[in-house]
Amino acid sequence: MATIKDVALHAGVTVTTVSRVLNNRGYISEKTRQKVYESMRALNYQPNELARALYKKQSKVVGVVVPSLLHPYFSACVHYLEKYAARQGYKIMVCNSKRERKSEIEYIEMLKSNKVVGIVLCTRTGELADILDDSLPVVTLERSISDKIPAIMCDNYQGGVLAARCLLDRGRTGIAVFPGQPKVQLPGELRVTGFLDTCRQAGVEPIVVATDESQFAARDYRGTIRAALCAYPEIDGVFATSDVMAAQVIQECAKVGRSIPQDVSLVGFDDVDIASLTTPPLTTIHQPLEQMCEYAVDGILRKLRGETVPVKTILPVSRVDRESV
């Protein structure tokens, strides 16, 4: 593997000159610059990006911390964050905390040490504001941790309203909602609030069937769903607060002989890929995740330039009608 010394020797210049070309520092004639580039190509020289980042005290990398890479929602987050970072000439470094606060803290410190330009946090554990400071741009997705750190989220409350209206407009009265119970308060809880408020305004009291954080981690809600369907035979409408959960509602309804949408109308939330792959395809609340990720990357780069970024950005949701209602 070629080194910077090999490039200098091949080009007939000093190592300092090659370094200046690589870091775009100081005056270098165009003729010399081209000689260095030609030598780099001839020797297939690959600059040490980490070393350059440490030298320049900054990289071209955005750090991303997610609680799970197996969950479809966070897999989609990583996909879109990489897409929009690449458009701006940046790469991403992904850290999977597995929902552990200790891991989140360790990864944040590691990202700082690697001189990332900023961090996008998609976390679900305790507060992290105490380990973050103004020296590094940070943006959160679907989480608000400080009145100084920009948060990008969807209109969760309106999503709950849209889900409720969808079921109520079809005459459903035995309505159940499956909310999660995360360890900390998250904006996603507002989708349940919006749903309950709308149902109650219509004179319908929903059946609330709580799920817990361990079920989110395992992505397995089937036992709770089956128990609810058996305990409440009057259920004729369900709002599942994620598409992963909604897909399992379809499975469990089939097992207990309940047909969707004839016996039970079902609405999910997120509109990740799984929503169009179930049988029947899932009516769901579309969260503008791609746009949220674009805003997150843009927020990091704007903060890097010293620009003002809104502390809270809430993007609208919409209902996607398929065949489960």
Side-chain angles (χ1 to χ4, degrees):
M1 182 179 294
T3 67
I4 192 171
K5 291 181 179 179
D6 297 327
V7 174
L9 185 63
H10 189 277
V13 298
T14 65
V15 170
T16 300
T17 298
V18 177
S19 177
R20 286 179 176 174
V21 171
L22 288 172
N23 294 290
N24 196 25
R25 233 177 12 95
Y27 173 76
I28 301 291
S29 71
E30 189 59 29
K31 180 179 179 181
T32 299
R33 190 181 301 276
Q34 290 306 317
K35 282 175 61 178
V36 171
Y37 286 153
E38 288 169 7
S39 295
M40 289 172 62
R41 284 192 290 269
L43 298 173
N44 193 28
Y45 172 71
Q46 301 294 324
N48 187 323
E49 294 290 344
L50 178 57
R52 290 176 64 190
L54 294 171
Y55 177 79
K56 294 163 65 178
K57 298 185 179 180
Q58 192 177 88
S59 68
K60 294 283 285 185
V61 176
V62 176
V64 178
V65 183
V66 297
S68 171
L69 283 171
L70 294 175
H71 196 287
Y73 177 86
F74 296 106
S75 297
C77 279
V78 169
H79 171 78
Y80 290 126
L81 288 169
E82 191 280 331
K83 173 181 176 179
Y84 287 102
R87 285 191 179 182
Q88 300 292 335
Y90 290 79
K91 297 179 176 65
I92 65 170
M93 182 182 293
V94 181
C95 302
N96 178 15
S97 73
K98 300 178 183 177
R99 303 166 18 266
E100 296 175 357
R101 176 173 164 78
K102 181 173 180 290
S103 293
E104 288 175 355
I105 294 172
E106 289 174 350
Y107 276 132
I108 288 170
E109 295 301 331
M110 182 201 76
L111 292 169
K112 288 180 180 179
S113 298
N114 281 278
K115 307 299 180 184
V116 296
V117 298
I119 301 176
V120 178
L121 292 177
C122 314
T123 58
R124 289 177 65 88
T125 67
E127 294 305 323
L128 296 169
D130 55 336
I131 67 166
L132 300 169
D133 54 49
D134 295 336
S135 65
L136 184 68
V138 175
V139 173
T140 61
L141 269 178
E142 276 296 283
R143 176 82 191 277
S144 180
I145 63 175
S146 166
D147 58 4
K148 295 181 180 179
I149 296 175
I152 313 294
M153 57 193 76
C154 73
D155 192 339
N156 286 284
Y157 186 90
Q158 181 62 18
V161 171
L162 293 177
R165 287 177 178 166
C166 182
L167 297 175
L168 293 168
D169 289 348
R170 284 151 181 82
R172 303 300 187 176
T173 55
I175 296 176
V177 56
F178 290 81
Q181 289 185 322
K183 295 177 182 178
V184 296
Q185 188 173 6
L186 297 173
E189 295 173 49
L190 289 173
R191 61 190 67 168
V192 178
T193 304
F195 184 83
L196 294 176
D197 287 350
T198 305
C199 286
R200 287 165 179 164
Q201 288 165 11
V204 173
E205 184 60 39
I207 300 163
V208 180
V209 184
T211 62
D212 59 37
E213 190 70 10
S214 65
Q215 290 171 292
F216 169 84
R219 302 177 308 286
D220 189 350
Y221 304 92
R222 289 170 295 181
T224 298
I225 294 166
R226 189 182 314 120
L229 290 172
C230 294
Y232 302 99
E234 69 270 26
I235 290 177
D236 60 5
V238 171
F239 174 39
T241 51
S242 76
D243 290 341
V244 169
M245 190 186 298
Q248 294 177 26
V249 172
I250 292 175
Q251 292 178 326
E252 295 309 311
C253 279
K255 289 178 182 177
V256 298
R258 311 289 305 278
S259 175
I260 293 178
Q262 289 80 9
D263 300 325
V264 178
S265 290
L266 172 64
V267 180
F269 200 108
D270 288 333
D271 197 26
V272 292
D273 286 347
I274 195 174
S276 60
L277 300 176
T278 57
T279 302
L282 186 61
T283 292
T284 189
I285 306 304
H286 174 76
Q287 182 173 174
L289 186 56
E290 180 170 358
Q291 188 180 10
M292 291 164 64
C293 290
E294 181 181 12
Y295 275 47
V297 172
D298 183 63
I300 292 290
L301 301 184
R302 286 175 62 190
K303 290 193 74 174
L304 198 62
R305 295 191 294 265
E307 300 175 14
T308 300
V309 179
V311 171
K312 187 175 292 186
T313 301
I314 300 177
L315 299 179
V317 297
S318 59
R319 194 180 82 206
V320 179
D321 291 322
R322 295 194 179 95
E323 299 172 27
S324 65
V325 172

